[in-house]
């Protein structure tokens, strides 16, 4: 027909046979760079040279011995090898990845002159039961003639999976940056994992048996859909002129693990006014279970296109795209999975020996933000956390801290939240206005693959998309930062109560009843109800949050924006310096980068400090004293918070976090004092600024005097205190030893107390004031 014109044939100048020879040469001759560059003086066994220096020959031997089930071909190795061999193999692998995976398999699994070595030890059923079945099949085939032997597909006998690792210099794409020119190529995409399906078996080789001749027939499955064989193709059925019917034998088939993953664009990758795009990633074999919801990862894989399937699957004009995963690189690893780099580990150990490590770490938290020293110390303890305990009966006591920052607009609450979210390996940032109860927990929807009702744990807080839920679940073993906490609806806020105390989320939807883990710390920021904070009323009236929810926070900080000439000048100079130079002004202490902080916290979280018996007695005394002070304050109607058993647990968590920062296994008395000081500072911030100024506008000498007098009142040593105990308490409150000595000298001259000649014991000389205070408190 004259009107029909065939597609023009394009000849590609590629010699695949030569590429197979190059692949074989590469696998045989490539030497690992770290071994090849070793000093010649090192003692290397010449007889085992193949296993010491030849990287891939060593791995193939491990695969033959059933010690390894994965072979990763590093493209950096091919690039280094090609520099010496001069070829274009690397470029062709990147543009036609699937074909070259098959070529690598052919070179390794070839029956004659293949690279797969014989096992060095006997393989039995304890290694892989399939090996025993295959050995029985081979023994049965050996009894037959050459023509009647069964042909086993290479994928049936293969006991490993081959992947390509991309070049280290490759820059990752965003999801919207991948287009049609990338089909079939090896590409790397960056994003956040929003959903992970269950691992299911995927049929790789289908095995059939004939009802007439009993012959085994195998068929490789290379696509997502296939049509099973019906008639037996064996020579026996053809000779007898019968059409034997084939029946699938599940035990003869080969299945591999399969998992579908949804990746979504990162916030910074989405253009203004657009919604985040998502891409499906398919994982096979050992790659499954390597990604969890909430992970920020670079996934390298083969970009593929497939006919559209769904409710309108018959419309073949539409095409779905997906990524067949080859390599996963975690951008933010969990604390226990971080790689220990020698340089950073040396810096961590040097920091641990520094007595000022607590101050250095806290001042390195958001150094561009001026002030808020005690708030930053509390946020550091939030990152470190306490020790989670599990009782013998299964009851769990949480170790994660919850902190709420309240106050006027413009005091950098949101910036603090975003910095903490950046430092934490698993951090999720969301807002109260953009999240619903479903958006913070989980929802139930239908799985598009299996058509089953499943729990959807996703990260989509967008008004234009369905809220599939999951901020609290995505932040499992991490931190969930919730801004505009006061803007949440009452029905949505109820889902947080269980998370903050029990650290679980109970779901009962669409016939699914389960409990999800939400072992997360919650860092919330809330604005006042009427623009500015009114210190004359309680925080619950200012923040528009119920008292039952506020009591679940370990620490509540109030940050007010009050005019002060000197403080405003320092703040303005700090902000101007940051904007002019792009960094914070020079500080007295070293400012640590986020990576060093993350590695130090990882080292600190490996510790599980315990509380000695004498420290436990001190905690009991301090708790009882705090309850007594609260009763006095309530009688004076000057108390806006409530001290309960949760306060006691908060002190224990804070003190354990402080012990972790020192990388020690026991809590000290100074840790308890610092924890109580932070709680006291947070409570003081909730009081009326006028009353607070009347108490705090004093000299350090007067403040230290109050500390010592309080210690005398609580002591049971008949008016004597050890100087070392006074020194620890005063330094923990932020004063210096010189100020302590000055205070002791001043009040010693007026005969309030006396210090012995050895300067070890301070004795009280006037105790009338304590009797007056005691009688006043008893009356209240």
């Amino acid at each position: 027909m004259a009107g029909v014109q065939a597609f023009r044939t394009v000849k590609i100048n590629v010699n695949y046979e030569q590429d197979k020879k190059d692949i074989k040469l590469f696998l045989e001759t490539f030497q690992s760079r770290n071994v090849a560059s070793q000093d010649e003086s090192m003692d290397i066994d010449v007889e085992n040279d193949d296993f010491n220096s030849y990287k891939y020959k060593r791995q193939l031997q491990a695969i033959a011995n059933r010690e390894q089930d994965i072979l990763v071909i590093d493209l950096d190795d091919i690039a280094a090898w090609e520099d010496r061999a001069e070829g274009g193999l690397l470029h062709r692998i990147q543009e036609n990845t699937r074909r070259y995976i098959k070529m690598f398999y052919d070179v390794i699994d070839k029956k004659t002159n293949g690279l797969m070595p014989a096992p060095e030890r006997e393989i039995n059923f304890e290694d892989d039961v399939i090996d025993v079945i295959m050995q029985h099949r081979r023994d049965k085939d050996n009894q037959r003639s050459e023509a009647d032997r069964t042909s086993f597909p290479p994928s049936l006998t293969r006991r490993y999976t081959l992947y390509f690792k991309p070049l280290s210099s490759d820059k990752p794409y965003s999801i919207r940056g991948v287009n049609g020119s990338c089909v079939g190529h090896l590409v790397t995409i960056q994003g956040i994992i929003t959903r992970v399906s269950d691992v299911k078996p995927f049929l790789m080789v289908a095995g059939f048996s004939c009802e007439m001749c009993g012959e085994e027939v195998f068929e490789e499955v290379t696509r997502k859909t296939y049509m099973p064989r019906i008639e037996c193709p064996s020579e026996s059925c053809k000779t007898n002129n019968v059409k034997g019917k084939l029946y699938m034998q599940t035990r003869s088939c080969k299945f591999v693990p399969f998992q579908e993953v949804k990746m979504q664009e990162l916030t910074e990758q989405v253009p203004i006014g657009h919604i985040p795009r998502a891409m499906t990633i398919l994982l096979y074999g050992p790659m499954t279970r390597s990604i969890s919801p909430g992970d920020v990862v670079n996934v390298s894989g083969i970009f593929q296109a497939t006919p559209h399937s769904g409710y309108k699957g018959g419309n073949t004009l539409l095409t779905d795209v997906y990524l067949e995963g080859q390599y996963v690189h975690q951008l933010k690893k969990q604390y226990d999975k971080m790689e220990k780099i020698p340089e950073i580990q040396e810096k961590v150990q040097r920091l641990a020996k520094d007595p000022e490590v607590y101050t250095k770490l806290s001042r390195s938290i958001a150094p561009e933000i001026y002030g808020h020293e005690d708030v930053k110390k509390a946020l550091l303890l939030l990152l470190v956390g306490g020790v989670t305990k599990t009782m013998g009966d299964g009851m769990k006591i949480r170790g994660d801290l919850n902190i709420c920052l309240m106050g006027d607009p413009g005091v950098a609450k949101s910036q603090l939240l975003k910095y903490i979210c950046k430092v934490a390996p698993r951090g999720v940032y969301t807002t109260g206005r953009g999240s619903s109860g479903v958006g913070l927990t989980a929802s139930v929807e239908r799985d598009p693959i299996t058509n089953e009702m499943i729990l959807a744990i996703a990260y989509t807080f967008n008004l234009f998309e369905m809220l599939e839920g999951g901020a609290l679940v995505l932040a499992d073993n991490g931190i969930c930062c919730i801004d505009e906490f006061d803007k949440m609806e009452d029905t949505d806020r109820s889902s947080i109560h269980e998370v903050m105390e029990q650290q679980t989320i109970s779901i009962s939807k669409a016939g699914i009843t389960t409990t999800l883990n939400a072992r997360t710390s919650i860092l919330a920021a809330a604005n006042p109800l009427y623009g500015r904070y009114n210190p004359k009323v309680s925080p619950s009236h200012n923040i528009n949050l119920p008292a039952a929810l506020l009591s679940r926070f370990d620490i509540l900080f109030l940050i007010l924006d009050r005019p002060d000439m000197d403080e405003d000048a320092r703040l303005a100079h700090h902000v101007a310096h940051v904007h002019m130079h792009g960094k914070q002004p020079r500080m007295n202490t070293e400012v640590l980068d986020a990576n060093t902080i993350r590695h130090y916290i990882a080292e600190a979280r490996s510790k599980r400090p315990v509380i000695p018996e004498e420290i436990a007695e001190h905690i009991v005394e301090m708790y009882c004293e705090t309850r007594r002070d609260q009763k006095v304050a309530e009688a004076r109607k000057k108390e806006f918070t409530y001290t309960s058993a949760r306060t006691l647990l908060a002190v224990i968590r804070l003190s354990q976090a402080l012990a972790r920062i020192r990388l020690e296994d026991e809590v000290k008395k100074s840790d308890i004092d610092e924890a109580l000081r932070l709680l006291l500072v947070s409570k003081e911030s909730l009081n009326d600024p006028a009353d607070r100024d009347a108490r705090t506008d004093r000299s350090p000498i007067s403040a230290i005097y109050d500390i010592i007098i309080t210690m005398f009142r609580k002591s049971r040593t008949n008016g004597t205190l050890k100087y070392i105990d006074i020194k620890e308490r005063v330094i923990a409150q932020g004063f210096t030893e010189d100020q302590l000595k000055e205070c002791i000298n001043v009040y010693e001259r007026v005969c309030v107390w006396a210090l012995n000649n050895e300067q070890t014991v301070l004795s009280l000389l006037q105790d009338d004031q304590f009797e007056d205070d005691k009688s006043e408190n008893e009356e209240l």
Side-chain angles (χ1 to χ4, degrees), residues 229-285:
R229 286 177 176 265
I230 299 176
E231 294 184 0
C232 178
S234 66
E235 291 295 329
S236 176
C237 285
K238 291 180 181 179
T239 303
N240 296 329
N241 197 20
V242 295
K243 295 182 179 180
K245 190 174 181 180
L246 293 177
Y247 291 93
M248 181 178 287
Q249 301 294 324
T250 305
R251 297 189 64 184
S252 301
C253 301
K254 180 179 180 180
F255 296 90
V256 294
F258 166 79
Q259 191 174 35
E260 181 178 320
V261 175
K262 285 286 186 181
M263 174 187 278
Q264 183 177 289
E265 284 181 311
L266 297 175
T267 306
E268 57 268 20
Q269 295 174 342
V270 182
I272 297 175
H274 292 249
I275 63 174
R277 292 186 182 179
M279 178 174 286
T280 301
I281 301 173
L282 304 183
L283 303 178
Y284 297 92

Side-chain angles (χ1 to χ4, degrees), residues 681-706:
V681 169
S682 66
K683 284 189 175 183
E684 288 291 329
S685 69
L686 299 175
N687 292 323
D688 189 353
D691 297 339
R692 188 164 68 244
D693 292 344
R695 291 189 298 269
T696 58
D697 190 14
R698 297 174 298 171
S699 65
I701 305 300
S702 301
I704 295 175
Y705 171 79
D706 285 346

Side-chain angles (χ1 to χ4, degrees), residues 419-432:
Y419 184 88
I420 295 299
C421 187
K422 181 184 73 172
V423 172
R426 183 183 289 268
V428 176
Y429 179 87
T430 182
T431 61

